[in-house]
Amino acid sequence: MKRTAKLILMLPLLTLLLSGCFWEEETKRESITKGWSPKTFFEQAKDQISAGSMDKGIELYEQLQAAYPGSKYALQSKLEIAYALYKSEDYDQAIDRLNSYIKLYPNHFSTPYAYYLRGVISEDKSRSILDEILTDSAQRDVQSVRDAFNYYLALIDKFPKTEYADEAKSRLIILRNVLSRHELFVAIFYTKKEANIAAINRTKYIIEKYPNTPSVPAALHLMAHNYDAINATTLAKDTRRVLKNSYPLYTPHYSLDN
């Protein structure tokens, strides 16, 4: 009991000491940066980021915003923080920062970049280091791919004449192919499970939603297979006729073996 009482009595002292250390550290930081210009803050923060000290760099950017909120460097630092978070693979927080930037500065000349970076981050979020070896991004959850697709569409709609919109258009082609391939994997999964109607609906969705993507001929071929499975002979023949006329050189590249 005496030991417990002694510890309880020491708690306020420990709290005071810790508070003092924290205050001393804060004072030390403030003395180092005292008198810095916005440009100095910005350059020092950028140097910290380049050296790999992400937290220190972000802290300096935030000090810059607090000290010189109306400066051009403070505005740019908001984008720099988002980019630093992205490079640290803190994707969700980076996107949150960009969303806030877009909301605060909807028509600023730098805002198209914020839209574009948001799409790039969502794309990277969906990637795996094994994509080129073992996996296909289309086989996994593609919500972040859909997000990127929608972010790029918003950029093109809002700022159609910018260089970022032009780049977004090329990215959309790639993302459409990923999304259509994802739907094909789902249709194949349903086919293997003998959920033939669900598989047919998925293949129809590919053809309607993602025309002219590489997955369309495979979707037609799979659709015909599923029509055969439910004895819809006429529909199967019609589908194969469309496949032959539209893609005469197509050969199946997927397998229904488990």
Side-chain angles (χ1 to χ4, degrees):
M1 288 293 291
K2 288 182 179 180
R3 188 174 181 181
T4 302
K6 189 180 289 187
L7 286 172
I8 292 171
L9 289 171
M10 289 177 65
L11 282 175
L13 179 60
L14 288 170
T15 302
L16 185 62
L17 287 171
L18 289 171
S19 298
C21 291
F22 178 76
W23 179 83
E24 185 179 344
E25 186 65 27
E26 283 291 302
T27 304
K28 187 178 178 181
R29 278 201 295 263
E30 288 175 5
S31 65
I32 292 172
T33 60
K34 187 176 180 179
W36 279 12
S37 68
K39 185 178 180 181
T40 302
F41 264 113
F42 188 83
E43 290 177 345
Q44 290 293 323
K46 207 167 184 65
D47 287 345
Q48 290 290 343
I49 298 292
S50 298
S53 299
M54 295 295 182
D55 291 341
K56 289 182 180 179
I58 289 172
E59 183 181 348
L60 285 174
Y61 280 135
E62 289 177 337
Q63 287 182 40
L64 162 59
Q65 292 171 30
Y68 302 98
S71 70
K72 66 177 182 179
Y73 292 103
L75 191 66
Q76 179 62 25
S77 70
K78 293 179 184 293
L79 293 174
E80 297 291 340
I81 288 174
Y83 187 78
L85 290 168
Y86 158 49
K87 298 307 288 184
S88 299
E89 299 185 2
D90 193 345
Y91 301 123
D92 292 336
Q93 192 175 167
I95 291 172
D96 285 343
R97 295 271 186 157
L98 291 169
N99 285 337
S100 296
Y101 188 91
I102 290 167
K103 187 175 180 179
L104 286 170
Y105 312 103
N107 298 306
H108 193 267
F109 71 86
S110 62
T111 303
Y113 170 73
Y115 273 82
Y116 177 72
L117 183 57
R118 198 171 57 167
V120 170
I121 293 171
S122 287
E123 274 195 84
D124 275 8
K125 186 179 175 182
S126 73
R127 291 196 177 101
S128 163
I129 59 172
L130 299 177
D131 274 352
E132 301 300 323
I133 305 171
L134 298 175
T135 66
D136 184 326
S137 60
Q139 288 179 284
R140 301 191 305 275
D141 178 33
V142 291
Q143 184 55 53
S144 58
V145 177
R146 290 193 184 97
D147 289 342
F149 191 88
N150 290 328
Y151 289 150
Y152 287 138
L153 283 179
L155 166 59
I156 294 166
D157 181 62
K158 180 73 174 177
F159 303 102
K161 296 182 180 180
T162 62
E163 60 179 311
Y164 296 112
D166 291 338
E167 179 62 24
K169 290 174 185 176
S170 66
R171 300 306 307 166
L172 283 179
I173 295 172
I174 296 170
L175 295 180
R176 287 178 78 251
N177 290 343
V178 172
L179 291 171
S180 64
R181 200 161 68 247
H182 172 74
E183 295 298 328
L184 181 62
F185 284 126
V186 174
I188 290 170
F189 172 80
Y190 283 143
T191 303
K192 290 179 178 180
K193 295 296 183 180
E194 298 183 359
N196 306 107
I197 300 299
I200 289 167
N201 289 335
R202 284 285 179 160
T203 56
K204 286 181 178 178
Y205 182 80
I206 294 168
I207 295 163
E208 294 168 2
K209 183 72 175 179
Y210 305 111
N212 304 316
T213 62
S215 296
V216 169
L220 287 166
H221 187 270
L222 191 61
M223 182 187 290
H225 172 90
N226 281 282
Y227 277 139
D228 284 336
I230 61 172
N231 296 316
T233 307
T234 301
L235 289 173
K237 286 181 178 178
D238 290 342
T239 302
R240 288 193 173 93
R241 187 180 305 113
V242 172
L243 174 61
K244 185 175 181 180
N245 291 337
S246 301
Y247 304 94
L249 300 178
Y250 174 75
T251 54
H253 64 279
Y254 64 88
S255 173
L256 295 178
D257 295 330
N258 289 318

PDB file of all heavy atoms in Angstrom, residues 220-241:
ATOM      1  N   LEU A 220     -17.735 -13.086 -74.949  1.00  0.00           N
ATOM      2  CA  LEU A 220     -18.661 -13.702 -75.902  1.00  0.00           C
ATOM      3  C   LEU A 220     -18.500 -15.228 -75.902  1.00  0.00           C
ATOM      4  O   LEU A 220     -19.489 -15.967 -75.912  1.00  0.00           O
ATOM      5  CB  LEU A 220     -18.412 -13.150 -77.312  1.00  0.00           C
ATOM      6  CG  LEU A 220     -18.884 -11.724 -77.570  1.00  0.00           C
ATOM      7  CD1 LEU A 220     -18.281 -11.187 -78.866  1.00  0.00           C
ATOM      8  CD2 LEU A 220     -20.414 -11.670 -77.646  1.00  0.00           C
ATOM      9  N   HIS A 221     -17.272 -15.685 -75.906  1.00  0.00           N
ATOM     10  CA  HIS A 221     -17.002 -17.114 -75.904  1.00  0.00           C
ATOM     11  C   HIS A 221     -17.560 -17.766 -74.640  1.00  0.00           C
ATOM     12  O   HIS A 221     -18.190 -18.834 -74.685  1.00  0.00           O
ATOM     13  CB  HIS A 221     -15.485 -17.351 -75.998  1.00  0.00           C
ATOM     14  CG  HIS A 221     -15.095 -18.783 -76.162  1.00  0.00           C
ATOM     15  ND1 HIS A 221     -14.839 -19.612 -75.086  1.00  0.00           N
ATOM     16  CD2 HIS A 221     -14.924 -19.543 -77.282  1.00  0.00           C
ATOM     17  CE1 HIS A 221     -14.521 -20.810 -75.532  1.00  0.00           C
ATOM     18  NE2 HIS A 221     -14.560 -20.804 -76.857  1.00  0.00           N
ATOM     19  N   LEU A 222     -17.353 -17.104 -73.496  1.00  0.00           N
ATOM     20  CA  LEU A 222     -17.837 -17.623 -72.220  1.00  0.00           C
ATOM     21  C   LEU A 222     -19.357 -17.569 -72.145  1.00  0.00           C
ATOM     22  O   LEU A 222     -20.005 -18.463 -71.590  1.00  0.00           O
ATOM     23  CB  LEU A 222     -17.224 -16.812 -71.070  1.00  0.00           C
ATOM     24  CG  LEU A 222     -17.396 -17.366 -69.658  1.00  0.00           C
ATOM     25  CD1 LEU A 222     -16.732 -18.738 -69.525  1.00  0.00           C
ATOM     26  CD2 LEU A 222     -16.813 -16.398 -68.637  1.00  0.00           C
ATOM     27  N   MET A 223     -19.929 -16.535 -72.730  1.00  0.00           N
ATOM     28  CA  MET A 223     -21.384 -16.410 -72.763  1.00  0.00           C
ATOM     29  C   MET A 223     -21.998 -17.594 -73.516  1.00  0.00           C
ATOM     30  O   MET A 223     -22.981 -18.208 -73.055  1.00  0.00           O
ATOM     31  CB  MET A 223     -21.790 -15.097 -73.442  1.00  0.00           C
ATOM     32  CG  MET A 223     -23.288 -14.859 -73.470  1.00  0.00           C
ATOM     33  SD  MET A 223     -23.727 -13.397 -74.457  1.00  0.00           S
ATOM     34  CE  MET A 223     -23.102 -12.083 -73.419  1.00  0.00           C
ATOM     35  N   ALA A 224     -21.425 -17.925 -74.660  1.00  0.00           N
ATOM     36  CA  ALA A 224     -21.922 -19.049 -75.454  1.00  0.00           C
ATOM     37  C   ALA A 224     -21.837 -20.356 -74.668  1.00  0.00           C
ATOM     38  O   ALA A 224     -22.765 -21.178 -74.690  1.00  0.00           O
ATOM     39  CB  ALA A 224     -21.138 -19.162 -76.753  1.00  0.00           C
ATOM     40  N   HIS A 225     -20.736 -20.536 -73.975  1.00  0.00           N
ATOM     41  CA  HIS A 225     -20.559 -21.738 -73.142  1.00  0.00           C
ATOM     42  C   HIS A 225     -21.674 -21.846 -72.099  1.00  0.00           C
ATOM     43  O   HIS A 225     -22.237 -22.932 -71.879  1.00  0.00           O
ATOM     44  CB  HIS A 225     -19.193 -21.693 -72.447  1.00  0.00           C
ATOM     45  CG  HIS A 225     -18.998 -22.769 -71.428  1.00  0.00           C
ATOM     46  ND1 HIS A 225     -18.457 -24.007 -71.746  1.00  0.00           N
ATOM     47  CD2 HIS A 225     -19.281 -22.809 -70.084  1.00  0.00           C
ATOM     48  CE1 HIS A 225     -18.415 -24.749 -70.653  1.00  0.00           C
ATOM     49  NE2 HIS A 225     -18.914 -24.054 -69.630  1.00  0.00           N
ATOM     50  N   ASN A 226     -22.000 -20.741 -71.458  1.00  0.00           N
ATOM     51  CA  ASN A 226     -23.025 -20.749 -70.410  1.00  0.00           C
ATOM     52  C   ASN A 226     -24.430 -20.919 -70.996  1.00  0.00           C
ATOM     53  O   ASN A 226     -25.293 -21.528 -70.356  1.00  0.00           O
ATOM     54  CB  ASN A 226     -22.932 -19.480 -69.570  1.00  0.00           C
ATOM     55  CG  ASN A 226     -21.812 -19.561 -68.541  1.00  0.00           C
ATOM     56  OD1 ASN A 226     -21.962 -20.202 -67.502  1.00  0.00           O
ATOM     57  ND2 ASN A 226     -20.672 -18.948 -68.852  1.00  0.00           N
ATOM     58  N   TYR A 227     -24.643 -20.395 -72.206  1.00  0.00           N
ATOM     59  CA  TYR A 227     -25.934 -20.649 -72.865  1.00  0.00           C
ATOM     60  C   TYR A 227     -26.088 -22.133 -73.160  1.00  0.00           C
ATOM     61  O   TYR A 227     -27.180 -22.705 -73.012  1.00  0.00           O
ATOM     62  CB  TYR A 227     -26.036 -19.833 -74.156  1.00  0.00           C
ATOM     63  CG  TYR A 227     -26.483 -18.402 -73.957  1.00  0.00           C
ATOM     64  CD1 TYR A 227     -25.884 -17.358 -74.667  1.00  0.00           C
ATOM     65  CD2 TYR A 227     -27.520 -18.091 -73.091  1.00  0.00           C
ATOM     66  CE1 TYR A 227     -26.299 -16.048 -74.500  1.00  0.00           C
ATOM     67  CE2 TYR A 227     -27.942 -16.773 -72.910  1.00  0.00           C
ATOM     68  CZ  TYR A 227     -27.326 -15.753 -73.620  1.00  0.00           C
ATOM     69  OH  TYR A 227     -27.757 -14.465 -73.451  1.00  0.00           O
ATOM     70  N   ASP A 228     -25.004 -22.770 -73.594  1.00  0.00           N
ATOM     71  CA  ASP A 228     -25.039 -24.224 -73.806  1.00  0.00           C
ATOM     72  C   ASP A 228     -25.413 -24.953 -72.517  1.00  0.00           C
ATOM     73  O   ASP A 228     -26.196 -25.912 -72.524  1.00  0.00           O
ATOM     74  CB  ASP A 228     -23.670 -24.736 -74.276  1.00  0.00           C
ATOM     75  CG  ASP A 228     -23.398 -24.417 -75.742  1.00  0.00           C
ATOM     76  OD1 ASP A 228     -24.380 -24.224 -76.497  1.00  0.00           O
ATOM     77  OD2 ASP A 228     -22.211 -24.349 -76.119  1.00  0.00           O
ATOM     78  N   ALA A 229     -24.857 -24.476 -71.403  1.00  0.00           N
ATOM     79  CA  ALA A 229     -25.069 -25.140 -70.113  1.00  0.00           C
ATOM     80  C   ALA A 229     -26.520 -25.088 -69.656  1.00  0.00           C
ATOM     81  O   ALA A 229     -26.976 -25.979 -68.922  1.00  0.00           O
ATOM     82  CB  ALA A 229     -24.172 -24.514 -69.044  1.00  0.00           C
ATOM     83  N   ILE A 230     -27.274 -24.059 -70.111  1.00  0.00           N
ATOM     84  CA  ILE A 230     -28.692 -23.963 -69.712  1.00  0.00           C
ATOM     85  C   ILE A 230     -29.611 -24.348 -70.883  1.00  0.00           C
ATOM     86  O   ILE A 230     -30.803 -24.049 -70.864  1.00  0.00           O
ATOM     87  CB  ILE A 230     -29.029 -22.550 -69.201  1.00  0.00           C
ATOM     88  CG1 ILE A 230     -28.799 -21.495 -70.283  1.00  0.00           C
ATOM     89  CG2 ILE A 230     -28.238 -22.227 -67.936  1.00  0.00           C
ATOM     90  CD1 ILE A 230     -29.298 -20.096 -69.895  1.00  0.00           C
ATOM     91  N   ASN A 231     -28.996 -24.970 -71.906  1.00  0.00           N
ATOM     92  CA  ASN A 231     -29.747 -25.465 -73.075  1.00  0.00           C
ATOM     93  C   ASN A 231     -30.418 -24.344 -73.865  1.00  0.00           C
ATOM     94  O   ASN A 231     -31.468 -24.557 -74.485  1.00  0.00           O
ATOM     95  CB  ASN A 231     -30.800 -26.502 -72.638  1.00  0.00           C
ATOM     96  CG  ASN A 231     -30.165 -27.738 -72.033  1.00  0.00           C
ATOM     97  OD1 ASN A 231     -29.187 -28.261 -72.558  1.00  0.00           O
ATOM     98  ND2 ASN A 231     -30.716 -28.214 -70.916  1.00  0.00           N
ATOM     99  N   ALA A 232     -29.803 -23.165 -73.857  1.00  0.00           N
ATOM    100  CA  ALA A 232     -30.300 -22.053 -74.684  1.00  0.00           C
ATOM    101  C   ALA A 232     -29.541 -22.107 -76.006  1.00  0.00           C
ATOM    102  O   ALA A 232     -28.664 -21.280 -76.305  1.00  0.00           O
ATOM    103  CB  ALA A 232     -30.091 -20.720 -73.979  1.00  0.00           C
ATOM    104  N   THR A 233     -29.880 -23.117 -76.816  1.00  0.00           N
ATOM    105  CA  THR A 233     -29.102 -23.433 -78.023  1.00  0.00           C
ATOM    106  C   THR A 233     -29.076 -22.287 -79.031  1.00  0.00           C
ATOM    107  O   THR A 233     -28.024 -21.953 -79.596  1.00  0.00           O
ATOM    108  CB  THR A 233     -29.672 -24.695 -78.692  1.00  0.00           C
ATOM    109  OG1 THR A 233     -29.745 -25.749 -77.731  1.00  0.00           O
ATOM    110  CG2 THR A 233     -28.793 -25.136 -79.855  1.00  0.00           C
ATOM    111  N   THR A 234     -30.216 -21.690 -79.283  1.00  0.00           N
ATOM    112  CA  THR A 234     -30.288 -20.601 -80.267  1.00  0.00           C
ATOM    113  C   THR A 234     -29.426 -19.417 -79.840  1.00  0.00           C
ATOM    114  O   THR A 234     -28.680 -18.836 -80.644  1.00  0.00           O
ATOM    115  CB  THR A 234     -31.743 -20.137 -80.447  1.00  0.00           C
ATOM    116  OG1 THR A 234     -32.530 -21.245 -80.880  1.00  0.00           O
ATOM    117  CG2 THR A 234     -31.817 -19.026 -81.488  1.00  0.00           C
ATOM    118  N   LEU A 235     -29.518 -19.040 -78.554  1.00  0.00           N
ATOM    119  CA  LEU A 235     -28.720 -17.920 -78.046  1.00  0.00           C
ATOM    120  C   LEU A 235     -27.228 -18.245 -78.120  1.00  0.00           C
ATOM    121  O   LEU A 235     -26.408 -17.368 -78.426  1.00  0.00           O
ATOM    122  CB  LEU A 235     -29.118 -17.599 -76.611  1.00  0.00           C
ATOM    123  CG  LEU A 235     -30.497 -16.963 -76.416  1.00  0.00           C
ATOM    124  CD1 LEU A 235     -30.851 -16.855 -74.934  1.00  0.00           C
ATOM    125  CD2 LEU A 235     -30.547 -15.575 -77.070  1.00  0.00           C
ATOM    126  N   ALA A 236     -26.869 -19.484 -77.867  1.00  0.00           N
ATOM    127  CA  ALA A 236     -25.465 -19.895 -77.958  1.00  0.00           C
ATOM    128  C   ALA A 236     -24.958 -19.758 -79.388  1.00  0.00           C
ATOM    129  O   ALA A 236     -23.859 -19.240 -79.622  1.00  0.00           O
ATOM    130  CB  ALA A 236     -25.301 -21.330 -77.476  1.00  0.00           C
ATOM    131  N   LYS A 237     -25.783 -20.192 -80.374  1.00  0.00           N
ATOM    132  CA  LYS A 237     -25.394 -20.093 -81.779  1.00  0.00           C
ATOM    133  C   LYS A 237     -25.265 -18.635 -82.210  1.00  0.00           C
ATOM    134  O   LYS A 237     -24.320 -18.255 -82.913  1.00  0.00           O
ATOM    135  CB  LYS A 237     -26.423 -20.807 -82.660  1.00  0.00           C
ATOM    136  CG  LYS A 237     -26.360 -22.329 -82.594  1.00  0.00           C
ATOM    137  CD  LYS A 237     -27.391 -22.960 -83.522  1.00  0.00           C
ATOM    138  CE  LYS A 237     -27.306 -24.481 -83.488  1.00  0.00           C
ATOM    139  NZ  LYS A 237     -28.338 -25.118 -84.353  1.00  0.00           N
ATOM    140  N   ASP A 238     -26.222 -17.808 -81.785  1.00  0.00           N
ATOM    141  CA  ASP A 238     -26.179 -16.377 -82.142  1.00  0.00           C
ATOM    142  C   ASP A 238     -24.925 -15.708 -81.563  1.00  0.00           C
ATOM    143  O   ASP A 238     -24.273 -14.889 -82.230  1.00  0.00           O
ATOM    144  CB  ASP A 238     -27.421 -15.658 -81.618  1.00  0.00           C
ATOM    145  CG  ASP A 238     -28.682 -16.049 -82.366  1.00  0.00           C
ATOM    146  OD1 ASP A 238     -28.563 -16.601 -83.482  1.00  0.00           O
ATOM    147  OD2 ASP A 238     -29.783 -15.800 -81.823  1.00  0.00           O
ATOM    148  N   THR A 239     -24.593 -16.079 -80.338  1.00  0.00           N
ATOM    149  CA  THR A 239     -23.416 -15.481 -79.692  1.00  0.00           C
ATOM    150  C   THR A 239     -22.142 -15.897 -80.413  1.00  0.00           C
ATOM    151  O   THR A 239     -21.242 -15.063 -80.640  1.00  0.00           O
ATOM    152  CB  THR A 239     -23.345 -15.914 -78.211  1.00  0.00           C
ATOM    153  OG1 THR A 239     -24.541 -15.512 -77.545  1.00  0.00           O
ATOM    154  CG2 THR A 239     -22.145 -15.279 -77.517  1.00  0.00           C
ATOM    155  N   ARG A 240     -22.057 -17.160 -80.807  1.00  0.00           N
ATOM    156  CA  ARG A 240     -20.863 -17.630 -81.518  1.00  0.00           C
ATOM    157  C   ARG A 240     -20.765 -16.990 -82.906  1.00  0.00           C
ATOM    158  O   ARG A 240     -19.662 -16.738 -83.406  1.00  0.00           O
ATOM    159  CB  ARG A 240     -20.883 -19.155 -81.633  1.00  0.00           C
ATOM    160  CG  ARG A 240     -20.611 -19.853 -80.303  1.00  0.00           C
ATOM    161  CD  ARG A 240     -20.331 -21.340 -80.480  1.00  0.00           C
ATOM    162  NE  ARG A 240     -19.925 -21.934 -79.202  1.00  0.00           N
ATOM    163  CZ  ARG A 240     -20.762 -22.512 -78.336  1.00  0.00           C
ATOM    164  NH1 ARG A 240     -22.060 -22.620 -78.632  1.00  0.00           N
ATOM    165  NH2 ARG A 240     -20.304 -22.988 -77.198  1.00  0.00           N
ATOM    166  N   ARG A 241     -21.905 -16.697 -83.508  1.00  0.00           N
ATOM    167  CA  ARG A 241     -21.901 -16.023 -84.808  1.00  0.00           C
ATOM    168  C   ARG A 241     -21.313 -14.607 -84.666  1.00  0.00           C
ATOM    169  O   ARG A 241     -20.507 -14.177 -85.488  1.00  0.00           O
ATOM    170  CB  ARG A 241     -23.320 -15.960 -85.371  1.00  0.00           C
ATOM    171  CG  ARG A 241     -23.377 -15.428 -86.810  1.00  0.00           C
ATOM    172  CD  ARG A 241     -24.786 -15.367 -87.352  1.00  0.00           C
ATOM    173  NE  ARG A 241     -25.450 -16.663 -87.258  1.00  0.00           N
ATOM    174  CZ  ARG A 241     -26.486 -16.941 -86.469  1.00  0.00           C
ATOM    175  NH1 ARG A 241     -26.999 -16.003 -85.685  1.00  0.00           N
ATOM    176  NH2 ARG A 241     -27.031 -18.154 -86.457  1.00  0.00           N
TER     177      ARG A 241
END
